[in-house]
Amino acid sequence: MNNKDKPYISWDTATILEAQAKHLVGTGEAEHEEQGWTMASEDQFLLDDEWNGLLFALTEKLNEINPEGYWHGEVENFGWRNTSGYKDFEADTAQAFLSAILPQTDCTFHIYIDESHPFKEIRIQNFHHDSPMGNEWYTIVVRDALEEAA
């Protein structure tokens, strides 16, 4: 898939819980959405399973795009001070990739991938307590492709 305007993958715990609540109502396991929401929130495995699925899918995609695992990332509007910066890093798993760039806090994010971009651009829109409107944007590219173009 090569659609830079539609997220490749997203992480949003509220959406996950809402979908599970609706599922529980639909299957008759919950009488109404409020009960479904409570049941979903108390499911100790739901978010772990969803997170592990996200990590698996993203790791496969990252390795497809850049098997060497060397990346160049830039951020705009980081945190409450709206700072910008860049970082070169190595990551061969989604966990390492996300940990290298996202702040170590609860985040909701959308990952967009443009494989038609000369550097196979990955953009992440991130929401958290210091960026509740999602103004924080990361642009990550294959570092070797960037260096070759310079």
Side-chain angles (χ1 to χ4, degrees):
M1 185 169 124
N2 189 29
N3 187 342
K4 64 181 181 176
D5 298 323
K6 182 178 182 219
Y8 169 74
I9 205 162
S10 294
W11 178 254
D12 183 345
T13 56
T15 300
I16 294 166
L17 294 173
E18 182 180 334
Q20 181 65 4
K22 288 180 180 182
H23 171 75
L24 292 170
V25 171
T27 60
E29 296 175 63
E31 293 180 24
H32 46 77
E33 277 196 42
E34 184 177 331
Q35 183 184 29
W37 182 272
T38 300
M39 291 170 65
S41 299
E42 293 173 350
D43 182 344
Q44 57 187 325
F45 300 109
L46 175 64
L47 294 178
D48 284 344
D49 288 346
E50 291 290 328
W51 181 249
N52 289 332
L54 178 141
L55 292 177
F56 180 81
L58 185 57
T59 294
E60 282 194 338
K61 187 56 141 177
L62 294 173
N63 288 327
E64 176 186 313
I65 292 170
N66 182 8
E68 301 301 318
Y70 296 105
W71 303 95
H72 173 80
E74 297 182 7
V75 64
E76 296 175 11
N77 301 315
F78 179 77
W80 62 273
R81 292 174 42 187
N82 294 318
T83 58
S84 297
Y86 70 91
K87 177 180 186 178
D88 290 326
F89 62 98
E90 182 179 357
D92 58 358
T93 67
Q95 182 69 46
F97 183 86
L98 295 172
S99 292
I101 54 174
L102 295 180
Q104 302 302 306
T105 190
D106 289 335
C107 296
T108 295
F109 55 83
H110 306 291
I111 299 177
Y112 302 83
I113 298 177
D114 183 1
E115 292 184 51
S116 68
H117 188 280
F119 308 129
K120 301 191 188 296
E121 184 177 80
I122 299 171
R123 291 188 40 87
I124 302 175
Q125 181 182 23
N126 192 38
F127 303 76
H128 58 87
H129 66 278
D130 283 336
S131 184
M133 302 305 290
N135 295 329
E136 189 171 287
W137 280 91
Y138 298 83
T139 303
I140 303 101
V141 297
V142 176
R143 190 174 73 202
D144 292 345
L146 185 65
E147 290 173 355
E148 288 172 10

